[in-house]
Structures are given as structure tokens and as C-alpha cells.
């Protein structure tokens, strides 16, 4: 039975019994700044892992549309996609490198680089910490930037352009690279392209910072699906992508040797018969590998699924309202106890406790106001 849970009816105050001093973890929030007066750039706050409480956010750095973030494993540098198409008078967005302050989390700009495509919307750092990979939505391409010893970004070492289109003439008139993710062994990069209904698969050269098409060069999704984000199960045997245009999620078997993906299941992220706007945003597997979560923007909810550890197949647990409008990216704490989501159009960041026995989300009283939040990242 599908269980759709209303936010207001289920708000609880979560308290935890702890035997050691609670740990304050720093968070950074990327936002949209253009076209509104609610945000000025990247914000930071702290999260109490014992209570689930967030501190009041403060501006860490003024920036132009710093939508998606990545934090270096050394905890010293942060990188932000400037989701624009007019950087320094060119038809390109940018990526910015920052030094993270050791005390209050203030950010000092190190440098910027043009991404080689418009509207960069997703980025990730490879396992060596030497390269930043960026997906450019409007450009329909993916770029790789070497990271210097001082955290600055060098000019891109690789820029690959996708080709093709999809049946949705409004959203799929051209390629639209929407995310880039790496396997844990750093051998393969997966680029979800909304415009061509494919997960492109590349071999990653961690010496030269280059992407090379793999023998299994892509995984094809149903026409008009619009794959957006992508995540790999901790076992590396399975992977998942959410379809932005149809509000579905596809499970794959993943060949750990070749990097190939084989689709095994596609399920809806909405209640049966629901007429909400179809527009998913994020999909993430929790650290234990037992649960998958997908955010629904039109339905203003997060769908939770249990994962069969033998097959990778999904079973719906619940579809939980987020208590706001247009949920985007979200994060899960390293211990799997908390999920922190943001509601872009409500200017809120909300904390949910995770029922570790079922994967269900329990709303808490903890929330903060941040203008037009898009992405949340924990410090390592």
C-alpha cells in the first residue's frame, strides 16, 4: 500500500540520548541569486548530529547563482557552479574555487574558470582530489578541471560535447548534461543527459584528467524520460537515476569491471493517479545502502524506497511531503540518521529524522530560512 504522509500532521520533536559530546558539523548551501532579493550567494551554518538542530545561517560568500557545490576531501576548499550563461561576456557559465575559513566557515575566493558551456548545474571531485568535473546543462557537455596545490582551478583539461535530442521538443531539443558522478574506484564517470535520454559512460584518466568513451558508452532510458541525477550503490553493484520529465526512477545492475549499466526496473515517484507536475530533482542512496530517496518538485515530496540487497530492486516505503515548495537537492548524514532537504520556492531548509528500521522520514521542528536554496553539502 502506498503511504503518502502529510508534513504538518507528523511533525515531532526529536530528542536523542547521547553519552558523548555532540558533534557540530558545518553545512554549506548553494542558492540562486538572480531574479530575486532573497539570496546573495553561498550560506553556511552548523548541524548538531545529536539533536538535529541547525544554527542560523550566515552568508559565507557573495556569488552569482552559486547553485551546486562540491567540497574537497581535505576540507580546505569549496567549489561552486555559477549557473549562468554570460561569464565575462562569453556564452559560458563558470566554476569558482574558494578557501574555507577554519573558524566560521567564511569563504575566500581563489579564482574562477569558464566551464565551456552554459548553465553549469552539477559538479564532483574525483577520488584523488586532483580534478573537478562539471556538467553544463545548456552546453550539453562535461568539463574537467585540474585542481592546483593551492586549491585554484587550472583551465579545463577535457571538454566533451554530447550530440542528439529527444522527443520532448521543449526540453529535449538538444543535449542537456545534468550531472556527473564517479565510481568509487575512480575508473568510470557517469553523465546523466536529460536532452538525449542517456547515461553517458566514460573511462576516467586520473593522470591526465581526461574522459574517454568506454566500451559500454551509454545506457539508454525510455524516450522522453529526461534523466537528471545519478547515484551508485555503496556495493557498486547497482545504480539509480531519476527521470525529471516523467517522475520515475530507474534501477540498474552495474558491471564493476566494464562500468556497463543494465536497466532492471523503472517505478513511479508519485502516488498512483496523482496529477502533480512531473519534475524530480535529486536521487540518493543512504550510506548503509538500504534505502533510496528521490525528491519530487511538482508534488513537493520525497519518495523513499527500500533496496533489495541481492537484486537492487526498489520497493516503495512512503512518499513524504517536505513542508515546502520545490524541494531540490538533499543530503543524508554519514550515520544515516538524518536527511536535510531544502525547499527552493519556500526559502527553507528542513531536517527529517530517518527511521533506520524502515527508511521512512520523520519531520522534526528543525528548519532555517535560506533564500532560494538549491544544494546542501556537509563538510568532510
Amino acid at each position: 500500500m502506498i503511504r503518502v504522509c502529510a508534513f504538518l500532521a507528523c511533525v515531532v520533536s526529536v530528542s536523542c540520548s547521547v553519552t558523548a559530546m555532540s558533534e557540530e558539523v558545518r553545512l554549506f548551501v548553494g542558492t540562486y541569486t538572480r531574479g530575486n532579493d532573497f539570496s546573495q550567494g553561498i550560506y553556511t551554518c552548523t548541524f548538531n548530529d545529536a539533536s538535529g538542530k541547525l544554527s542560523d545561517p550566515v552568508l559565507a560568500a557573495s556569488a552569482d547563482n552559486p547553485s551546486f557545490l562540491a567540497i574537497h576531501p581535505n576540507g580546505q576548499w569549496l567549489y561552486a557552479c555559477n549557473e549562468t550563461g554570460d561569464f565575462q561576456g562569453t556564452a559560458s557559465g563558470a566554476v569558482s574555487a574558494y578557501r574555507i575559513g577554519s573558524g566560521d566557515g567564511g569563504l575566500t575566493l581563489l579564482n574562477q574558470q569558464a566551464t565551456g558551456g552554459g548553465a553549469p548545474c552539477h559538479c564532483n571531485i574525483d577520488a584523488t582530489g586532483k580534478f573537478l568535473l562539471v556538467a553544463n546543462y545548456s552546453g550539453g557537455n562535461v568539463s574537467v578541471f585540474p585542481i592546483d596545490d593551492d586549491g585554484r582551478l587550472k583551465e579545463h583539461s577535457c571538454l566533451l560535447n554530447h550530440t542528439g535530442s529527444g522527443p520532448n521538443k521543449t526540453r529535449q531539443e538538444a543535449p542537456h548534461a545534468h550531472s556527473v558522478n564517479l565510481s568509487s574506484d575512480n575508473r568510470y564517470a557517469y553523465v546523466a543527459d536529460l536532452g538525449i535520454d542517456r547515461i553517458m559512460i566514460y573511462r576516467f584518466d586520473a593522470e591526465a584528467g581526461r574522459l574517454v568513451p568506454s566500451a559500454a558508452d551509454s545506457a539508454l532510458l525510455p524516450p522522453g524520460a529526461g534523466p537528471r541525477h545519478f547515484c551508485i550503490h555503496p556495493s557498486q553493484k547497482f545504480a539509480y537515476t531519476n527521470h525529471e520529465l516523467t517522475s520515475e526512477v530507474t534501477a540498474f545492475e552495474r558491471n564493476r569491471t566494464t562500468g556497463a549499466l543494465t536497466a532492471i526496473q523503472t517505478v513511479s515517484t508519485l502516488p498512483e493517479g496523482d496529477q502533480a507536475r512531473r519534475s524530480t530533482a535529486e536521487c540518493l542512496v543512504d550510506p548503509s545502502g538500504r534505502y533510496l530517496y528521490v525528491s519530487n518538485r511538482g508534488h513537493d515530496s520525497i519518495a523513499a524506497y527500500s533496496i533489495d540487497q541481492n537484486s537492487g530492486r526498489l520497493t516503495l516505503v512512503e512518499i513524504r511531503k517536505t513542508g515546502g515548495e520545490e524541494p531540490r537537492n538533499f543530503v543524508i548524514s554519514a550515520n544515516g540518521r538524518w536527511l536535510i532537504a531544502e525547499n527552493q520556492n519556500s526559502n527553507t531548509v528542513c531536517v527529517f529524522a530517518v527511521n533506520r528500521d524502515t527508511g521512512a522520514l520523520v519531520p522534526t521542528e528543525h528548519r532555517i530560512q535560506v533564500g532560494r536554496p538549491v544544494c546542501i553539502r556537509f563538510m568532510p
Side-chain angles (χ1 to χ4, degrees):
M1 179 176 67
I2 295 176
R3 184 157 57 99
V4 181
C5 300
F7 182 87
L8 293 178
C10 300
V11 173
V12 298
S13 176
V14 175
S15 61
C16 300
S17 175
V18 293
T19 57
M21 182 180 297
S22 62
E23 183 178 3
E24 297 286 336
V25 183
R26 183 161 297 282
L27 287 176
F28 290 92
V29 182
T31 71
Y32 283 141
T33 62
R34 291 195 176 189
N36 71 79
D37 298 323
F38 299 101
S39 175
Q40 299 178 53
I42 302 170
Y43 290 81
T44 187
C45 66
T46 58
F47 173 70
N48 187 300
D49 189 67
S51 67
K53 183 177 180 180
L54 294 164
S55 68
D56 292 335
V58 297
L59 183 66
S62 297
D64 186 9
N65 258 25
S67 62
F68 216 83
L69 312 177
I71 300 177
H72 196 276
N74 66 16
Q76 298 179 32
W77 308 317
L78 178 146
Y79 301 92
C81 291
N82 298 105
E83 196 170 329
T84 67
D86 53 8
F87 179 63
Q88 296 182 346
T90 65
S92 172
V95 61
S96 300
Y98 295 91
R99 182 187 306 113
I100 301 173
S102 59
D104 60 1
L107 300 176
T108 301
L109 182 66
L110 297 175
N111 76 328
Q112 294 178 298
Q113 292 285 0
T115 58
C121 57
H122 194 271
C123 58
N124 260 310
I125 298 168
D126 86 307
T128 69
K130 295 180 180 179
F131 298 97
L132 178 77
L133 289 77
V134 178
N136 294 298
Y137 179 83
S138 295
N141 55 28
V142 59
S143 46
V144 182
F145 296 88
I147 299 174
D148 214 340
D149 292 341
D150 62 359
R152 296 173 184 268
L153 293 170
K154 299 179 182 180
E155 291 188 1
H156 61 73
S157 54
C158 179
L159 179 65
L160 287 180
N161 294 288
H162 295 172
T163 60
S165 59
N168 186 321
K169 301 306 179 184
T170 301
R171 298 293 310 280
Q172 296 182 307
E173 79 294 348
H176 292 301
H178 219 312
S179 62
V180 54
N181 295 86
L182 290 143
S183 57
S184 63
D185 61 11
N186 219 36
R187 295 175 58 207
Y188 294 98
Y190 296 86
V191 182
D193 195 309
L194 180 148
I196 59 176
D197 291 321
R198 288 181 183 271
I199 307 295
M200 302 301 296
I201 307 172
Y202 298 102
R203 287 187 292 108
F204 180 58
D205 182 342
E207 294 296 325
R210 301 191 65 81
L211 296 170
V212 181
S214 70
D217 65 350
S218 67
L220 181 62
L221 279 302
R228 178 185 171 97
H229 282 194
F230 180 86
C231 58
I232 301 175
H233 191 271
S235 69
Q236 302 295 300
K237 296 189 300 182
F238 314 117
Y240 304 90
T241 188
N242 59 303
H243 305 176
E244 177 176 337
L245 304 183
T246 60
S247 289
E248 295 173 311
V249 59
T250 289
F252 300 95
E253 288 183 350
R254 177 178 177 270
N255 187 308
R256 287 175 287 184
T257 301
T258 67
L261 300 173
T262 302
I264 56 175
Q265 181 190 30
T266 295
V267 296
S268 176
T269 63
L270 296 174
E272 185 175 355
D274 193 276
Q275 298 302 308
R277 173 171 61 95
R278 278 159 168 69
S279 184
T280 63
E282 182 64 273
C283 67
L284 286 178
V285 177
D286 86 311
S288 74
R290 296 167 60 197
Y291 307 112
L292 176 81
Y293 300 91
V294 180
S295 54
N296 290 303
R297 288 183 290 185
H299 191 251
D300 297 330
S301 64
I302 293 178
Y305 305 86
S306 62
I307 301 174
D308 185 292
Q309 300 301 295
N310 294 315
S311 69
R313 294 177 67 87
L314 303 171
T315 300
L316 182 66
V317 173
E318 66 168 4
I319 301 174
R320 168 72 65 179
K321 290 287 189 177
T322 60
E325 298 177 5
E326 207 77 357
R328 295 286 299 266
N329 170 246
F330 52 86
V331 290
I332 303 169
S333 63
N335 57 19
R337 292 177 54 209
W338 308 98
L339 183 148
I340 306 176
E342 25 78 343
N343 295 299
Q344 178 189 318
N345 291 352
S346 300
N347 307 309
T348 56
V349 175
C350 304
V351 180
F352 295 82
V354 179
N355 184 320
R356 301 302 296 141
D357 293 327
T358 67
L361 301 178
V362 183
T364 75
E365 62 189 6
H366 305 305
R367 60 171 53 202
I368 56 175
Q369 295 283 324
V370 178
R372 296 294 189 265
V374 178
C375 174
I376 307 173
R377 284 291 176 263
F378 278 114
M379 282 283 285

